[in-house]
């Protein structure tokens, strides 16, 4: 994830707050989504991966995703 964020010039420490990384609970699991221009831009978030058996409430971004 850090390599992807670096490639779009996103700061990992603010990626969630800026809306670049979104964690969305779905029936299939936790969808990790990337919006390259964040919540302030006109782009849309696209799914990167679905983590089965995990919810957003269980994830600690700093510990589990380096954010």
């Amino acid at each position: 994830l850090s390599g992807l964020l670096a490639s779009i010039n996103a700061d990992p420490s603010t990626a969630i707050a800026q809306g670049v990384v979104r964690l969305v609970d779905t029936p299939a699991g936790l969808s990790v989504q990337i919006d390259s221009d964040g919540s302030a831009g006109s782009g849309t978030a696209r799914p990167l991966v679905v983590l089965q058996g995990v919810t957003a409430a269980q994830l600690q971004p700093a510990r589990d995703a380096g954010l």
Side-chain angles (χ1 to χ4, degrees):
L1 187 55
S2 61
L4 174 63
L5 293 175
S7 74
I8 58 173
N9 296 319
D11 181 352
S13 66
T14 60
I16 291 177
Q18 300 284 326
V20 174
V21 174
R22 296 181 185 173
L23 305 173
V24 180
D25 287 319
T26 71
L30 178 65
S31 177
V32 179
Q33 301 177 358
I34 304 296
D35 184 346
S36 62
D37 61 1
S39 56
S42 62
T44 59
R46 299 188 184 268
L48 175 65
V49 66
V50 174
L51 305 174
Q52 295 178 329
V54 178
T55 66
Q58 294 171 316
L59 189 78
Q60 291 183 11
R63 179 194 71 198
D64 301 325
L67 301 174

